[in-house]
Each structure stands twice: as structure tokens, then as C-alpha cells.
Amino acid sequence: MRVDNSTVEAFKKKLEEAEMAQLSSELRFEEMMKPHTSFRVGGPAQVYAEPSNTKELVALLSASDSVGMPYFLMGNGSNIVVSDEGIDGLVIRLGEKFSEITSEEDPQDPDCVLIRASAGTLLTKLSSYAAKAGLTGLEFASGIPGSLGGAVFMNAGAYDHDMSEVLEKVISISPSGEVISWKKEDLALGYRSSVFMIKGGIVAEAVLKLRRGNIDEIQAQIRTYTEKRTKSQPLNFPSAGSMFKRPTGYYTGALIEQAGLKGFSIGGAQVSEKHAGFVINTGNATAADIDALVSHIQATIREKFGVELTREVRFIGRGFN
Ligand SMILES: Cc1cc2nc3c(=O)[nH]c(=O)nc-3n(C[C@H](O)[C@H](O)[C@H](O)COP(=O)(O)OP(=O)(O)OC[C@H]3O[C@@H](n4cnc5c(N)ncnc54)[C@H](O)[C@@H]3O)c2cc1C
């Protein structure tokens, strides 16, 4: 439900009381989400903020908690479909402003380096930072267009590797603004899942442990992964990557292809001709087109093969949740 004006005013006042007048003045209203998502769909966020540090993030969370303003937190928008009607309440985006990288020798292991990065840092940037420094472990992430925070939340991965292999520590913020430090063994990292998906909370920063390696081999591995992606994925169309989680014992793309759905479209949303596990925006798709197409795929696969396809991409906003 849309948040009323008095709640929005109370929220701004709370920020000002917390000496965040600048942040309050930078809030945007009815900000279209379309340009902030890789699918290039989505209506307006009622209130939109891009904090530049943890203090600002905590202030936004505390203010929204105390006035009862719902919030949605996003990173680079590469694993979401935002409703055409938009998102009620506050959208907090951890983007370029929230992206700092530092590194230090690992005091426990001279062969390793610890990289500390803020949640808005792009994985592609982190992967190339590591490669340039001759550090191995993040090659798999070189083509994943998400933020570090989104990648921790989803335990993003590719080519039989995922974030669980490199994460050492995570600093998160609870919905009421409490800062919590997590050791890797408490992060419950599984296939595209983490403790944050189950318990909530926002990833503010993470420490990755990477091993010293051979710079030429690291760069060659990245080139191989990039070639594989370019050959097999429809990277020239807006999408959110693989639409579904991989069902045990099956390949999603093969199931969808066998069901005769390759190329099938509803409005501007289409099952990619290049990779049937991807739904793409051919130019003028709406979120409703994507939702209808995904529901149609799920129903067809259930009917034909008795297999339940679960959405990996998250559908956010009015009418979706
Ligand atoms: C072309 C393409 C290829 C892709 N390939 C891969 C791939 O190989 N492997 C893979 O795993 N994924 C892939 N993806 C999907 C996507 O890039 C990842 O899931 C990525 O981790 C999402 O990060 P994001 O910052 O874009 O998250 P968003 O889309 O902004 O958000 C996704 C979810 O994460 C939550 N979230 C975001 N940031 C935080 C945070 N700081 N703290 C807590 N929760 C947060 C949001 O609330 C939301 O629920 C691909 C996407 C595209 C478009």
C-alpha cells in the first residue's frame, strides 16, 4: 500500500534529526526503476535513496523503522523484476556511491590477501581488481553483473564456483539499524541462498580471502569464461540472467526447449532463442509480460514433465508481493 504523505514527512524529519539533512535533501520521489534494473522494466519508487556510507544506511533504516515506512533494498538490480506499478515506500539502492575497496596481507596466511569491499561494489570490478593484483578465486565472477551485497545475499556463482569459496567475513545491518559481524561458517551459504535470505538483514560490506596466483593464468581463465558466456547467453538483450533455479536432476534450458517454448513470447517478453533458461526483454516488455511468460513456462513444465521450476529472479513491487 502507498505510504501516506504524513509518514513520508515524518521520515524526512527523522533523518534531519539524525543530522542527515543532506541525505534527506537528496531523496528522490517517484524515481522510475526501469533504468536501475538490468531487465529495463519497472515503475516508480515512491521514495528513493542512494546512501554513500554505512552511517547513512543505518540512518535510513532507523528512520524508516521508527515511522513505519516499508523499505526494499537493492544492489545493481540484475536479479529483480520490478512491477509496472512501482514500489510503495522506500527503495534504498547500494550502488557506485557505496563502493570502496581496500586490501591487506592476510595475517594468518602469507599466500593470501584479504579484500574488504562495500556492498555496492560491482562484482565485475572486484574480479578485475583481483586479477590485476594477481589474486585468484574471483575469476568465476567476472561476468556476473551484480553488486557484492547482492552476490552475498544470493550466494551468486558460475562454472561450479560461488561466493562461499571466497567469503571470509560479512558486516550486516539489521532492519532496526544494528551492525552485526558474521563469520563465514555462520552465513548458511547454499545453492543461491544465504542466512540473509532466511533471516533478513542488509549486507554492508564483506571481506574476501584470495590466494596469490599467476596473473597470466588468471587473465586467461577470465577470457575463457567471457567467451563461454558470450557464446551461450543473450547478452545483447536486457534480462536478469537465468530465470529459474536449477531443479535437481534436470537442466532448465533443456526442459524449456523440449517443451517447445524456445522463442515463445508474450508481449515484449521472450524465451531466449540462444538460451532457453533466459527470459529477455525484446525492447518494449512490461513487468506484467515477463510475469505472465514465466507463469506460462512454469505451468507448461509442470504439466509436461511434472517438474516444479522455482523463480531465481525476484519479482518486487505492487501486485507482486
Ligand atoms: C546477463 C546476466 C548474467 C547473470 N549471470 C549470473 C551468474 O552467472 N550467476 C549468478 O549467480 N547470477 C547471475 N546473474 C544474476 C545476478 O547478477 C546475481 O544474482 C547478482 O548477485 C544480483 O546482485 P544485484 O546487486 O544485482 O542484486 P539485485 O538484483 O539488486 O537484488 C537481488 C536480491 O538481493 C537483495 N540484495 C541486494 N543487495 C543486497 C544487500 N547489500 N544486502 C542484502 N540483500 C541484498 C535484494 O533485496 C534482492 O532481493 C546474472 C544476471 C544477468 C543480467
Side-chain angles (χ1 to χ4, degrees):
M1 217 173 59
R2 209 175 152 77
V3 172
D4 59 40
N5 283 346
S6 60
T7 306
V8 175
E9 285 309 315
F11 171 73
K12 284 168 66 180
K13 195 153 176 260
K14 284 277 172 202
L15 283 180
E16 279 146 30
E17 282 165 11
E19 295 179 8
M20 290 284 163
Q22 163 101 12
L23 183 61
S24 172
S25 73
E26 285 168 4
L27 293 174
R28 296 184 219 165
F29 300 92
E30 306 305 329
E31 170 83 359
M32 287 304 283
M33 295 302 290
K34 194 174 168 161
H36 297 300
T37 71
S38 60
F39 237 131
R40 297 285 180 260
V41 296
Q46 195 179 348
V47 186
Y48 175 91
E50 282 187 9
S52 41
N53 54 48
T54 303
K55 213 172 147 203
E56 290 188 354
L57 173 59
V58 169
L60 287 167
L61 292 170
S62 306
S64 68
D65 189 51
S66 60
V67 302
M69 168 115 102
Y71 74 86
F72 170 68
L73 182 119
M74 66 181 288
N76 203 38
S78 66
N79 210 34
I80 54 175
V81 173
V82 175
S83 143
D84 302 312
E85 281 80 53
I87 303 178
D88 297 323
L90 171 68
V91 170
I92 304 172
R93 177 163 181 264
L94 300 186
E96 305 84 68
K97 283 172 150 186
F98 205 95
S99 61
E100 208 182 274
I101 311 179
T102 56
S103 61
E104 56 171 320
E105 305 287 309
D106 181 351
Q108 316 283 340
D109 186 345
D111 280 342
C112 292
V113 170
L114 300 174
I115 297 185
R116 177 182 287 265
S118 326
T121 312
L122 289 179
L123 271 194
T124 46
K125 191 172 160 193
L126 263 180
S127 178
S128 83
Y129 175 95
K132 278 187 197 130
L135 299 170
T136 181
L138 261 188
E139 294 87 329
F140 77 89
S142 59
I144 303 180
S147 67
L148 174 62
V152 174
F153 177 82
M154 303 290 296
N155 188 20
Y159 308 114
D160 296 325
H161 297 282
D162 62 33
M163 293 303 291
S164 70
E165 294 167 30
V166 291
L167 276 172
E168 193 61 11
K169 192 174 139 186
V170 170
I171 306 292
S172 77
I173 317 287
S174 76
S176 58
E178 190 195 356
V179 180
I180 306 168
S181 177
W182 299 81
K183 286 198 229 120
K184 78 184 274 184
E185 50 276 22
D186 299 324
L187 293 171
L189 296 163
Y191 174 60
R192 302 294 171 268
S193 67
S194 71
V195 68
F196 305 106
M197 216 177 254
I198 305 155
K199 291 196 178 164
I202 290 169
V203 176
E205 62 178 62
V207 177
L208 312 180
K209 179 173 172 164
L210 300 178
R211 196 157 283 282
R212 292 180 208 284
N214 178 300
I215 200 160
D216 295 334
E217 284 171 18
I218 294 166
Q219 276 166 347
Q221 184 61 266
I222 290 180
R223 275 197 301 277
T224 306
Y225 287 151
T226 308
E227 272 166 33
K228 272 193 185 177
R229 254 181 212 276
T230 317
K231 260 192 201 144
S232 63
Q233 299 183 357
L235 300 180
N236 47 342
F237 287 99
S239 80
S242 299
M243 179 51 73
F244 303 101
K245 290 190 178 186
R246 195 180 52 232
T248 318
Y250 299 93
Y251 286 104
T252 317
L255 281 178
I256 297 172
E257 203 173 334
Q258 279 163 35
L261 288 175
K262 212 172 188 181
F264 182 80
S265 61
I266 294 183
Q270 186 185 49
V271 177
S272 163
E273 300 267 10
K274 198 167 178 183
H275 187 319
F278 277 55
V279 167
I280 57 168
N281 177 354
T282 56
N284 58 357
T286 60
D289 293 341
I290 297 168
D291 186 41
L293 178 58
V294 171
S295 297
H296 178 75
I297 299 168
Q298 287 174 307
T300 309
I301 300 301
R302 193 179 304 125
E303 209 173 279
K304 280 200 188 294
F305 307 112
V307 176
E308 201 57 48
L309 289 183
T310 311
R311 297 176 184 205
E312 178 181 315
V313 175
R314 303 169 85 84
F315 285 66
I316 308 291
R318 199 182 300 163
F320 285 152
N321 49 12

